[in-house]
Amino acid sequence: MFFPRSIQKEIMDDFSIQDSRLTDALKELTVINTFLGGDAVSQKGIAAVMKHIPEHRSPSILDVGSGGSDLSHSLLAGHRTIALTSLDINFGACKYGRDTYPGLSVVNGSVFNLPFKERSFDIVHVSLFLHHFTETELQTIIVSLYRVSRYGVVINDL
């Protein structure tokens, strides 16, 4: 039997937190993604979609709700050259991603108003992000994710 989904707010939902509590949470997510299989699941999903992208092209990936961008960065390992963009609404998370992974394209923005044109990216990736939203919000978000994707959306969540 499944229990009802919790919509209780997490530390990542409080955008006023910009201190060590945020960076500690982002570091913990890196450990979780690395050692509990989150990275591997996302890489497998992205690899499945990349099979549909011509080999001569450098795929573009948008990682939405990227937090500290660690998962985005890990997606670069083992793949052909990828143009990667991380998007997060939390300015502190964006700063952490830029500082931790120099050269990574990081955009401070909202999933509810994606600052990209239609079909801007080959793949859109979301990991450990969608569980923060209600079912009604999820409908809006998923439509938005598909709007900016050319080949597919990879969702890895609880």
Side-chain angles (χ1 to χ4, degrees):
M1 172 182 241
F2 293 105
F3 295 101
R5 186 168 69 94
S6 171
I7 56 170
Q8 183 176 355
K9 296 293 182 191
E10 301 174 18
I11 193 169
M12 301 302 292
D13 298 314
D14 185 346
F15 305 135
S16 70
I17 297 174
Q18 300 291 309
D19 55 30
S20 63
R21 293 173 293 169
L22 176 63
T23 56
D24 289 348
L26 294 171
K27 288 175 184 176
E28 287 175 14
L29 283 172
T30 298
V31 171
I32 289 167
N33 288 332
T34 302
F35 296 108
L36 296 181
D39 285 353
V41 170
S42 288
Q43 289 174 7
K44 188 173 183 177
I46 291 203
V49 178
M50 283 183 46
K51 290 178 183 177
H52 302 284
I53 301 171
E55 285 287 327
H56 66 276
R57 289 197 50 227
S58 292
S60 59
I61 298 176
L62 172 65
D63 187 28
V64 176
S66 60
S69 301
D70 66 293
L71 193 56
S72 297
H73 190 73
S74 75
L75 294 173
L76 297 174
H79 293 295
R80 57 193 184 203
T81 304
I82 295 173
L84 191 57
T85 302
S86 293
L87 176 111
D88 203 283
I89 196 169
N90 187 313
F91 181 78
C94 291
K95 181 179 179 331
Y96 178 88
R98 281 188 195 105
D99 292 348
T100 306
Y101 305 106
L104 180 65
S105 175
V106 179
V107 176
N108 182 226
S110 170
V111 70
F112 292 106
N113 189 21
L114 291 174
F116 309 107
K117 293 179 182 177
E118 190 169 313
R119 300 175 54 90
S120 296
F121 298 91
D122 293 320
I123 301 169
V124 176
H125 171 258
V126 287
S127 178
L128 298 178
F129 174 69
L130 295 180
H131 68 272
H132 293 265
F133 301 98
T134 67
E135 282 77 8
T136 302
E137 291 170 325
L138 288 173
Q139 292 173 16
T140 301
I141 291 169
I142 291 173
V143 167
S144 182
L145 299 178
Y146 273 100
R147 182 186 63 78
V148 298
S149 168
R150 288 197 241 349
Y151 289 93
V153 174
V154 175
I155 297 172
N156 176 4
D157 216 306
L158 305 173

